[in-house]
């Protein structure tokens, strides 16, 4: 019994011990679980950071790739121009590819982690032997054959309504600068005029003592600001240079080497210019930094040098502006180009506006980060109404919106999110037009969904179209999101964001009623409005959710003031003094007030004593309202300018009375103003947020400045001066009736001036200008036409159309038939515009008259007659007159088929209209037969659209080669056949490609032997052809034969042999014949060493590839030294932290592990 009790006690003790151990283990497990949960959270956070970093890197890489591609295209174009000028031919003499091309092809699929790219026409040209310059031809003519430049928002275009050409010339080259302006600038202006813009030369004389209003520092600041914003930079440098020259070179080119620039270095001395002199060092810096710049330094005379400078600037203009010559294009192209330039201008205005908003933000978000939380919740909600961001004038709404849109990049899936954003500058401006906003949004949707169709011109139709397209795009995004099973939490790639700043300033906001309708569930709308003007935006907007902008606290205002002081680098104002501006000012200062007051105080305190600075600050803080502060700035500027104050008033009056602003060229023409004086005025007022330049137009920055201008300059008797300004602008635009044959400032400004001045009779007269009607309509602003006519109290249906028709009838009294044909085209345009504005009865007369004129002057079967019949038939069909429509459209179809072809786009349009007519006439059999034909034509057109654009470019070359191959057999004929086969391959004509490849090889074999170099060239190209058809077995066999023959013919090596070896290594690898691939890969390593040297990264890449082959074959010992050598090269060339270096280290560690060198591998890893 005792033993049992003892055993029982022992078991109890053991049980207690086990329980204790179990509890301890349980506690440890719980601790480990907590640690594991924390670790998992950390992993998730790191993954999110990694995804964010990857997204940022991907965006950066995409931008850089676009830039690199653009640079390559420019280089290829220039190389081709040189080759064409020197040799006058496109197809080069026999020769292998450039080393860079060989490097790109070789081993791209190997262990470096890069995949072979999709094969395109340019790559195909590079793959063939005996072929040079095709890359250049493809890129050069690929652009030229595009009918209308495809504008995209992402794409930066080197265009502005007013281009600034800065001319830098020290004292000894002053006469040369004047000569350049006198002899060459007018011609350059004509080039810009053809592209719908103007050119202003800016030359700031070194001797600026005549401008007493400026100190030397202020002159330097003005010079710096103008150089930084110029579009073209021209430098004329002689024997000497000065401080201003260095400043101009620094900010005009060296700080932005992507800016188009031309340098003329003229040395009129007998000796060489010293490289150690200041001028010599400046020239040396330019030559080292040159990117797109042109340098001229061998001209014998100044006149010759200036002529070369003008030629280079002309080249920059033609290349960047895509100049359109009216005599070289059809009317249809010109009308499309009107819309293209207007769309491009709208985008540039938005870019400039955003830049100005950022420049006024003075860095930091301050307390506005609180708004982001509300916006984040809004973005992630299931289904929401639009959100209003409400705040007072100058509270920073625009800045918050810009910053928030930038912050969207932090969201998972932001790269696939569709953002439609628009910023309104001031009321009445182009940016406030509903038609501009809707058209910009349609352009973005069209860019993302090219299959959406054509964008209408009428505002009502555009609004309906946008609602429809938005719904389609939203549905498509939801469908795509539902198919992605690995989306991250919080992924917002399925969203469409619409953001409009200053929405309360939009004119004709009823066209934006789709915002208050039933929006798709994945659409988010954010609008900013001013809380002081609730009566200016729709009543139903007030039911939207709201986020209110928080007021700034003292820390925010102090931080903003100190940031501005630091940016200015001013030594006249202390930190304590600048802090007193915001602390002693208004009780609740807005960000705009803080920024304007601080900047004005710093500017006014330049070279002032401490007591004078205190007086300046005391004067500033007296004005607690932004409007009052603006008036104070105007008064201060007026005193500073002295005798030039009247010019300031004249300039500001012109800006105020304009609709969108004034171009610099217009200001200089209208005002007795020197370029230097204007640059100083603009520099001062821009730095204080009074003036800005958007899209080439100078305008006020915000509504409060406009109010201040009215109070200060437009009170009492000054009203008469305002009317004088209006008359001045009207006279100017009437004298320069058309700034270009495409776009006209007169179109957008003159009707606005006349309406504002209540001059109805003159407005009605200007509205009858057919050119103005055409430009407004094709710019998507038809609604403005009706608004102006309604203001003139005219019935739109009867009176307007009748007056236009009567005007054109008066133009028919011309002497030549050619002039009458121009009138006929105007009738067509008028009828089309009235038709699209739903004025069907009124459109009939002009369309009938245009057809009558064409039939009387041209062949009855001409294309013009056919197209005019089609327009009239379409009108009949839309009017319900289906019998007349059927008859007219059938006549049009016969003529159009004979002129454009039975499967042309023009024929397709007629057939589609005819189908509707036959359906209405209840003849479904005919309609069905036409519908079958339409589908067939549509399929053929889509197939043609997928072919390379270079097809038309090579047509003449194909004809030339086909004529040549008809001659008696010779090596030249064989080579022509081979080139012809290459072209047919690029055009997708497989039958002709194989036919001419075979013929060229047969002829060459008979004439010079089957094992000749020439025959191997033919065979090599045939192998490349089969490889592109994915017939690698045949391609490998042919390349193997080429390799064996070339080894005999060129024992010391040859470019064609090298290329064959590289391709054989790739072909064998792709067929998983690794043993054979390794044999040729060893030769590839030798080739790369010969081309680039033993320590080049290209050699390391091939060593890495060879090591991979060896590993697959189990030859780890042979792979180890290859991998070690590759690592040594990468470390020497790229450094230890480069991606290629780190990948090679990882591969080397795995390799050492396979060899049992685990300790060393872990140590090195």
């Amino acid at each position: 019994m005792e033993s049992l009790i003892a055993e029982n006690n022992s078991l109890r003790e053991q049980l207690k011990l086990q329980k204790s151990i179990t509890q301890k283990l349980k506690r440890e497990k719980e601790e480990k679980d907590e640690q594991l949960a924390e670790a998992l959270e950390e992993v998730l956070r790191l993954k999110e950071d990694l995804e964010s970093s990857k997204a940022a890197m991907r965006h950066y890489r995409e931008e850089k790739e676009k830039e690199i591609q653009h640079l390559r295209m420019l280089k290829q174009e220039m190389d081709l121009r040189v080759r064409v000028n020197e040799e006058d031919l496109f197809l080069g003499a026999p020769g292998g590819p450039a080393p860079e091309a060989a490097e790109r092809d070789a081993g791209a699929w190997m262990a470096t982690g890069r995949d072979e790219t999709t094969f395109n026409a340019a790559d195909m040209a590079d793959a063939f032997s005996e072929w040079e310059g095709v890359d250049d031809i493809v890129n050069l003519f690929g652009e030229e054959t595009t009918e209308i430049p495809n504008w995209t928002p992402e794409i930066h275009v080197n265009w502005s309504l007013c281009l600034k050409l800065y001319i830098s010339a020290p004292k000894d080259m002053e006469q040369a600068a004047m000569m350049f302006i006198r002899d060459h600038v007018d011609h350059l202006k004509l080039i810009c005029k053809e592209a719908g813009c103007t050119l202003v030369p800016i030359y700031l004389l070194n001797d600026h003592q005549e401008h007493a209003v400026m100190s030397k520092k202020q002159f330097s600041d003005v010079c710096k600001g103008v150089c930084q914003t110029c579009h073209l930079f021209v430098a004329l440098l002689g024997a000497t240079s000065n401080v201003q020259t260095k400043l101009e070179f620094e900010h005009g080119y060296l700080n932005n080497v992507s800016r188009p620039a031309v340098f003329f270095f003229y040395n009129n001395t007998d000796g060489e210019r010293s490289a150690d002199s200041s001028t010599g060092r400046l020239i040396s810096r330019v030559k080292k930094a040159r990117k797109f710049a042109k340098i001229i330094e061998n001209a014998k005379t100044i006149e010759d040098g200036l002529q070369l400078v003008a030629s280079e600037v002309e080249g920059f203009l033609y290349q960047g502006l895509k100049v359109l010559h009216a005599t070289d294009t059809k009317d249809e192209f010109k009308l499309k180009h009107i819309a293209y330039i207007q769309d491009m201008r709208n985008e540039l205005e938005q870019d400039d506006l955003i830049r100005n908003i950022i420049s006024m933000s003075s860095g930091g978000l301050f307390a506005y980060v609180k708004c982001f939380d509300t916006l984040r919740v809004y973005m992630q909600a299931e289904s929401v109404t639009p959100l209003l961001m409400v705040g007072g004038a100058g509270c920073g709404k625009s800045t918050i919106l810009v910053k928030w849109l930038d912050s969207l990049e932090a969201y998972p899936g932001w790269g696939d999110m569709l953002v439609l954003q628009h910023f309104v500058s001031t009321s009445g401006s182009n940016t406030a037009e509903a038609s501009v906003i809707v058209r910009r949004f349609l352009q973005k949707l069209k860019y993302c969904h090219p299959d959406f169709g054509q964008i209408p011109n009428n505002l009502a139709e555009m609004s309906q179209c946008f609602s429809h397209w938005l719904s389609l795009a939203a549905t498509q995004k939801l469908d795509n999101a539902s198919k992605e099973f690995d989306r991250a939490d919080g992924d917002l790639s399925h969203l469409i964001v619409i953001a409009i700043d200053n929405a309360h300033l939009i004119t004709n906001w009823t066209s934006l009623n789709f915002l208050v309708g039933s929006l798709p569930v994945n659409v988010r709308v954010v609008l900013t409005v001013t809380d002081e003007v609730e009566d200016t935006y729709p009543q139903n907007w007030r039911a939207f959710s709201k986020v209110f902008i928080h007021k700034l606290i003292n820390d925010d205002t102090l931080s903003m003031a100190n940031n501005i002081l630091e940016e200015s680098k001013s030594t006249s104002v202390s930190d304590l003094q600048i802090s007193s501006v915001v602390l002693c000012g208004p009780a609740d200062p807005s960000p705009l007030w803080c920024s304007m007051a601080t900047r004005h105080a710093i500017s006014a305190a330049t070279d002032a004593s401490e007591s004078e600075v205190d007086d300046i600050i005391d004067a500033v803080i007296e004005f607690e309202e932004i409007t009052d502060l603006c008036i104070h700035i105007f008064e201060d500027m007026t005193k500073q300018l002295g005798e030039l104050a009247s010019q300031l008033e004249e300039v500001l009056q012109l800006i105020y009375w304009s609709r969108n602003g004034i171009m610099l060229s217009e200001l200089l023409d209208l005002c007795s103003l020197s370029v230097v004086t204007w640059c100083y005025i603009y520099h001062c007022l821009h730095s204080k947020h009074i003036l800005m330049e958007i899209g080439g137009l100078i305008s006020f920055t915000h509504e409060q400045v406009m109010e201040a201008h009215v109070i200060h300059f437009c009170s009492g008797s000054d009203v008469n001066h305002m009317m004088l300004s209006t008359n001045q602008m009207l006279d100017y635009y009437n004298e320069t009736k058309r700034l270009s044959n495409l776009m006209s400032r007169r179109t957008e400004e003159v009707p606005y001036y006349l309406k504002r001045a209540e001059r109805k009779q003159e407005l009605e007269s200007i509205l009858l200008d057919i050119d103005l009607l055409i430009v407004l309509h094709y710019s998507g602003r038809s609604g403005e036409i009706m608004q102006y006519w309604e203001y003139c109290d005219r019935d739109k249906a009867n009176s307007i159309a009748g007056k236009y028709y009567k005007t054109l009838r008066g133009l028919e009294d011309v002497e030549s038939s050619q002039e009458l044909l121009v009138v006929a085209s105007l009738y067509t345009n008028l009828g089309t515009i009235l038709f699209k504005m739903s004025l069907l009865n009124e459109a009939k007369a002009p369309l009938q008259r245009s057809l009558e004129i064409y039939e009387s002057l041209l062949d009855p079967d001409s294309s013009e007659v056919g197209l005019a019949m089609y327009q009239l038939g379409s009108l009949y069909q839309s009017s319900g007159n289906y019998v007349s429509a059927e008859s007219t459209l059938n006549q049009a179809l016969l003529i159009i088929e004979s002129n454009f072809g039975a499967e042309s786009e023009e024929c397709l349009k007629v057939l589609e209209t005819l189908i509707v007519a036959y359906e209405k006439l209840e003849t479904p059999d005919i309609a069905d037969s036409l519908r079958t034909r339409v589908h067939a034509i549509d399929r053929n057109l889509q197939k043609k659209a997928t072919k390379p654009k270079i097809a038309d470019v090579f047509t003449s070359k194909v004809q030339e080669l086909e004529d040549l191959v008809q001659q008696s057999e010779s090596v030249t004929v064989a080579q022509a056949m081979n080139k012809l086969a290459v072209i047919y391959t690029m055009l997708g004509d497989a039958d002709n490609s194989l036919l001419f490849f075979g013929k060229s090889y047969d002829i060459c074999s008979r004439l010079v032997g089957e094992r000749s170099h020439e025959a191997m060239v033919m065979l090599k190209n045939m192998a490349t052809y089969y490889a592109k058809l994915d017939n690698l077995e045949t391609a490998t066999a042919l390349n193997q034969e080429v390799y064996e023959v070339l080894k005999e013919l060129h024992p010391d090596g040859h470019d064609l042999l090298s290329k064959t070896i590289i391709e054989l290594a790739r072909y064998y690898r792709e067929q998983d014949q690794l043993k054979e691939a390794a044999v040729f890969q060893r030769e590839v390593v030798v080739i790369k060493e010969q081309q680039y040297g033993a320590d080049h990264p290209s050699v390391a890449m091939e060593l890495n590839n060879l090591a991979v082959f060896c590993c697959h074959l189990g030859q780890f010992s042979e792979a180890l030294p290859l991998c070690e050598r590759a690592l040594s090269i990468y470390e020497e060339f790229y450094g230890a932290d480069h991606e290629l270096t780190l990948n090679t280290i990882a591969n080397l560690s795995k390799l050492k592990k396979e060899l049992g060198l685990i300790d060393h591998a872990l140590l090195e890893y």
Side-chain angles (χ1 to χ4, degrees), residues 983-1022:
I983 293 177
Y984 278 126
T985 301
M986 297 169 70
L987 298 178
D989 191 340
D991 295 336
N992 277 321
S993 298
L994 192 57
L995 173 67
F996 283 106
F997 274 132
K999 283 185 176 182
S1000 65
Y1001 176 68
D1002 292 341
I1003 294 173
C1004 213
S1005 298
R1006 286 198 301 271
L1007 295 179
V1008 294
E1010 291 184 356
R1011 300 180 70 82
S1012 64
H1013 177 87
E1014 289 78 5
M1016 291 305 101
V1017 170
M1018 312 298 176
L1019 204 60
K1020 176 71 182 63
N1021 282 344
M1022 194 183 301

Side-chain angles (χ1 to χ4, degrees), residues 857-869:
L857 297 178
L858 301 175
D859 189 313
D861 294 328
S862 65
S863 60
E864 289 82 358
V865 172
L867 292 173
M869 281 186 174

Side-chain angles (χ1 to χ4, degrees), residues 164-217:
K164 294 190 284 289
L165 169 64
Y166 192 92
I167 303 171
S168 171
K171 193 67 177 177
D172 61 336
M173 295 294 284
E174 182 179 321
Q175 292 301 318
M178 296 299 186
M179 190 186 306
F180 178 77
I181 294 173
R182 183 192 67 215
D183 297 340
H184 300 288
V185 167
D186 284 344
H187 174 66
L188 300 176
K189 286 182 177 180
L190 289 175
I191 296 173
C192 294
K193 178 180 176 181
E194 292 296 329
C197 59
T198 60
L199 180 75
V200 176
I202 298 178
Y203 175 46
L204 304 183
L205 294 172
N206 283 270
D207 183 12
H208 57 275
Q209 298 303 319
E210 56 178 302
H211 311 294
V213 294
M214 276 186 284
S215 65
K216 287 186 178 181
K217 182 182 182 306

Side-chain angles (χ1 to χ4, degrees), residues 479-503:
D479 290 343
N480 293 338
S482 64
K483 298 174 184 177
E484 298 176 4
F485 300 103
D486 57 344
R487 293 174 62 210
D489 292 337
D491 188 310
L492 301 179
S493 59
H494 65 291
L495 290 185
I496 298 177
V497 179
I498 301 175
I500 303 177
D501 180 44
N502 284 327

Side-chain angles (χ1 to χ4, degrees), residues 653-665:
Q653 290 284 14
L654 292 173
I655 294 173
Y656 174 74
W657 274 93
S658 67
R659 179 182 185 183
N660 294 306
I662 297 290
M663 287 194 297
L664 176 56
S665 58

Side-chain angles (χ1 to χ4, degrees), residues 981-1145:
V982 171
I983 293 177
Y984 278 126
T985 301
M986 297 169 70
L987 298 178
D989 191 340
D991 295 336
N992 277 321
S993 298
L994 192 57
L995 173 67
F996 283 106
F997 274 132
K999 283 185 176 182
S1000 65
Y1001 176 68
D1002 292 341
I1003 294 173
C1004 213
S1005 298
R1006 286 198 301 271
L1007 295 179
V1008 294
E1010 291 184 356
R1011 300 180 70 82
S1012 64
H1013 177 87
E1014 289 78 5
M1016 291 305 101
V1017 170
M1018 312 298 176
L1019 204 60
K1020 176 71 182 63
N1021 282 344
M1022 194 183 301
T1024 302
Y1025 167 74
Y1026 278 112
K1028 301 314 168 186
L1029 295 179
D1030 292 329
N1031 188 348
L1032 293 181
E1033 185 177 350
T1034 303
T1036 304
L1038 293 174
N1039 261 337
Q1040 188 72 42
E1041 183 180 348
V1042 172
Y1043 167 74
E1044 293 169 358
V1045 173
L1046 291 179
K1047 267 285 193 182
E1048 296 177 6
L1049 295 176
H1050 306 290
D1052 296 330
H1054 189 275
D1055 287 342
L1056 186 59
L1057 177 61
S1058 300
K1059 190 171 184 178
T1060 305
I1061 292 169
I1062 291 169
E1063 290 183 356
L1064 276 170
R1066 184 164 77 248
Y1067 294 166
Y1068 277 123
R1069 183 266 173 191
E1070 291 178 0
Q1071 297 176 84
D1072 291 328
Q1073 299 179 29
L1074 301 182
K1075 186 176 181 180
E1076 293 81 1
V1079 172
F1080 286 101
Q1081 184 62 27
R1082 289 185 177 88
E1083 294 194 48
V1084 171
V1085 172
V1086 176
I1087 291 170
K1088 293 296 182 179
E1089 288 176 338
Q1090 293 172 349
Q1091 288 180 341
Y1092 303 110
D1095 298 326
H1096 195 274
S1098 297
V1099 176
M1101 180 184 72
E1102 303 305 343
L1103 288 168
N1104 234 336
N1105 293 339
L1106 181 55
V1108 172
F1109 283 143
C1110 293
C1111 289
H1112 282 298
L1113 296 172
Q1115 301 168 358
F1116 299 111
S1117 299
E1118 185 178 348
L1120 182 61
L1122 297 172
C1123 206
E1124 289 176 335
R1125 185 182 165 197
L1127 176 60
S1128 175
I1129 294 173
Y1130 281 143
E1131 286 180 333
E1132 179 68 24
F1133 199 88
Y1134 292 118
D1137 296 329
H1138 193 273
E1139 182 181 1
L1140 290 174
T1141 307
L1142 296 175
N1143 289 342
T1144 308
I1145 291 174

